[in-house]
Amino acid sequence: MCPGVGKTYAMLGAAQQELADKVDIVVGVVETHRRVETEALLKGLPVIQRKVIEYKGIQLTEMDLEAILARKPKVVLVDELAHTNAPGSRHPKRYQDVIELLDAGIDVLTTLNVQHIESRADAVRQITGAPVNETVPDSILELADEIELVDLTPEALLERLRQGKVYLGDRAAAAAENFFKDTHITALRELALRFTAERMDKRLREMRASGGKTVWRSGERLLVGVGPSPSSTQLVRWTKRMAAAQGAAWIAVNVESARNLAPEARRRLDQNLSLARELGAEVVVTHDESAADALLRVALQNKATQIVVGRSRNPRWLDIIRGGSLLDRLLRMREPIDIYVVPPERLDKGPWIDWSSRSPSPQREYGAAMGVIAAVTAVGWFLAPHTAYMSVGLLYLMAVIGLSLKVGRWPVLLAGVVSAVAWDFLFIPPLFTFTITRMEDRIMFCMYFVVALVTGQLTARVRAQERHERLREERATALFHLTRALSAAKTLDDGVFAALRQADELFSAQTALLLSDEEGLGLAPHFAGSFAIDEKETGVADWVWHNRKKAGRFTDTLPSSKGFYAPLVREDKGLGVLVVKVAPDATLTLAQRDLIEGFAAQIALLVEREFLRAAGEREKLLVESERLHRTLLDGVSHELKTPLAVLESVGENIAEADPSLRANLVGEMRTATRRLTRLVNNLLDQTRLESGALRPKLDWCDTQDLLNAAIAGVEDSLAGHPFEVVVPPDMPLFRADSALMEQVIANLLLNAARHTPAGTPIFLAAGIDGARKRVFFTVADRGPGFPMEMRERLFQKFQRGDAARAGGLGLGLSIIRGFVAAQGGDVMVGENPGGGSVFTVYLPYEPHGEVPSE
Amino acid sequence: MTEEGSRLEVLVIDDETQIRRLLRVTLESAGYRVREADAGLPGLAEVTFRRPAAVILDLGLPDISGCDVLKRLREWSQVPVLVLSVLGQDDQKIGALDAGADDYLTKPFSGGELLARLRVMLRRGQPSDDLKVIRFGEVEVDLVRRVVTRGGQDVKLTAKEYALLRLLAVNAGKVIVHRQILRELWGPNAEEQTQYLRVYIGRLRQKLEENPNNPRHLRTESGIGYRLVVE
């Protein structure tokens, strides 16, 4: 109700009861004003220490929001809901802290005086005459599960005041003088009672109508026009009250016209609109030269049933010239819409139209207008003796219409007036007087005046509308360009880069983007940003990301930050934060901020697309790696177990075996060990290749040496195949890693021997190609060959030819390719003319440096 | 068999029990006496106290690396050392040979190969007057007269060719790493110029080998060096 009635006391009483019920309850902030009874009630309640904030050398204490969120109690006590936080806090207002607490699932017990309720602030001001600075939006009261009215009769309150129970010390008297008047308290009490009753009533009706769901009971829809004037603030509050009383939805409409608003007015307009938004209105911004037309259009589009307007403050004549005041024109329409007219509370002070910046360079335009009129006057002066003065009038008219195509409406208006006066004075008889004697001249003069003014104004208006169309189109184009750039972007980085550069240009700002990782664990700045976010600002970004609400400059959350922060949200998931930083003296209009949010939405889409794509890729990789894993496991276990089984059985039998059989057993054992050795070597090589640990040591190699070594390693496998080696006598030295190349050749030979029928020949050749750029090694066989479509796949690991005999892991060719590639070469498979396949290994060649002669 | 080793003592330094046991069986059956050490430092102590005829040294040891063992050993002892390594340890192998190892074997190896290498090593280790003339195949290298003949015919060699042949011949049976040959013949600046070696070895093979494309004596140890095989 009002200070001193015992809200805090009542709250603490409730808290003590909760405590007795063993509820996890803590004190976030309680102002006891050192009242003894109140302080006594604090006993036993755990208190979260307040945070100290330094501001201009003064130490202020504020509720520690982070500490409470971290402590996460069931219930928290937050006194004085309407309190304004110290500058530099997370939110400017305490009620915003409370919203965050509620969002975090923490119940809040709080206190509020009726004069601090936004929609009642005007009423209170009218009653008490004292301005109300700290207000909370009505919407927060809609969040309350329960409202308890702390009521006290005026007499009792004044008695308490006299006893010094309200404010201590000498402040009591001063306070009583100003605020605690009997009449005031009674009025405030009535307000509080009525507010609570209205709320109760609304609750009941809602429950009856919807069974719990909030639907608009009445189908009523209110629409209010919002401008930059302070009286608009009043209108907004008034409409909110009306809407709340009727249980109706409401819309706040701002009609932008060609007029440039002064920065102060622009700020106030934004304030009015965000107030409307806070109070629960849907905000619509539209462009039109005629406010009445725009209001009507929006009203019809949104099926509004009631329109609220302020009473016109224009002089009557101006309204008539303009085709009637807004109110007149609304009243004349035929739609079944109720009109409410709210009188302005007091005269607004100060202009809200920026006279100084109404046109690009007004002085020059006035000059041009006057110049043209002077020129026409001069021409008319010379023509006058030869023609009737009427034609001079037409000349003037032409000049005015011409001017209206080039300059703003005020210079045109001036030109119209000046030309009319000049015409009358210099040309219409009697000359050099302002009097007009002949009736027809008078009529003509009047007609001239009206025609000049109307055409001038009409043309100017058309031009203004054109400019608006252009602005609107620019916005649409910006979004279109963005969408196109984003859909053309092949990667996320491309897209982000394009989007940020467009934003930079469009808003003449610096932009940055912070993206969350896919697990949603942290935010990281994207490299495409045009500025780096410092640590404090990162905190803002974190808040925006967690709460998925915009914040920063031009908003209610952390307004002292440098940038405007828009969240990237897709399906309730914060994907990142878009930051736009304009110069300290520049502003972002509501439309621009909407556009930024549009940008953020588009980028969010892109990011989501990227995340989905990455997830799909991972899924695919997982499947692939599972397949490999299985193949490897199957293959390795088979390949390892076979020779191991042989070894084991040889080991068991060799002692008792017949001496004649012993040689056979030993032979088997040798074969098995060789097979095992080869398998282990292959696995090691593959691992070396994949771990990237393979560093070829290039050195000069002698072909013959190399082939000899390779052949020596596989000689016994080649047995049974006619084998031929061809090396040209002038084969030069080449650079390669001899160990790797030995293995490549050996593996190719082994493959050929293993996969071709016994008795078929194998050829090994080396040489240098015609251009002496590459050396090559070929291994050819007369085996079954490979079908075309298998050839590329052959070199992948765990791939084996269809006709391959059992055994082998399918690693051989993959290792060959890896080894050759590591030395800068290439390997291919082709068809051997006459049957079979040919594997060719190419290595880059360059001649060696000179060997010194002796 | 027993007379081959004539009870010479061989020290095996390897941390793998199974390898030590296997080597013991192989060596003892060939008539050697075997001492074992399971790490580098105990191995060095054994060499000091027992003065073995040869050392078989694994490169991967738990305390200090095989190369370090070799370096410390070579500060005071010329005992022949055979190095054991696994595939892919070429750098360590070269390092060990450069540090004074006499030969190397890559695991897995056969017992026969091991004994053959050991034999060559021990023979070289013995002081002998034969060093004046080295014979392989049809070739005779007279180190005193600096004359090389093949089947009784004089073979004309350039100074560098002779120097190369001489280096391999005095170390017959032992692997000489590229770097060492290049250093001794062309000076320390030429240590990386392996193409010189390829060219000169090629020329020597053309002049001395029966089938230069498949040399029997002037053997390549790929990636490591050359060895002259005399038997």
Side-chain angles (χ1 to χ4, degrees), chain A residues 677 681 684-685 688 697 699-702 704-705 708-709 733 738-739 742-743 848-854, chain B residues 87 90-91 94 108 158-161 178 186 194-196 198-200 203 205 212-215 220 222-223 226:
Chain A
T677 310
N681 286 347
L684 284 177
D685 287 342
R688 267 205 297 166
K697 274 198 320 210
D699 198 355
W700 293 102
C701 292
D702 181 90
Q704 199 66 54
D705 272 353
N708 286 342
L733 300 179
S738 55
E742 259 175 57
Q743 239 176 303
H848 60 74
E850 210 170 309
V851 177
S853 54
E854 297 164 45
Chain B
L87 187 87
D90 281 1
D91 285 341
I94 295 171
T158 66
K160 278 277 193 285
E161 284 166 10
H178 295 145
W186 281 278
T194 47
Q195 74 269 25
Y196 299 178
R198 307 277 180 228
V199 170
Y200 275 88
R203 288 182 193 162
R205 280 175 182 163
N213 283 339
N214 200 1
T220 302
S222 2
Y226 291 97

Side-chain angles (χ1 to χ4, degrees), chain A residues 4 53 139 220 376 392 525 534 538 544 593 629 721 737 744 753 772 805 813 843 852:
Chain A
I53 292 178
S139 55
E220 291 290 317
V376 171
V392 180
D534 60 35
T538 310
V544 169
R593 266 143 44 201
H629 196 73
H721 291 275
D737 182 311
V744 166
R772 295 183 75 82
R805 273 183 289 164
L813 285 174
L843 286 182

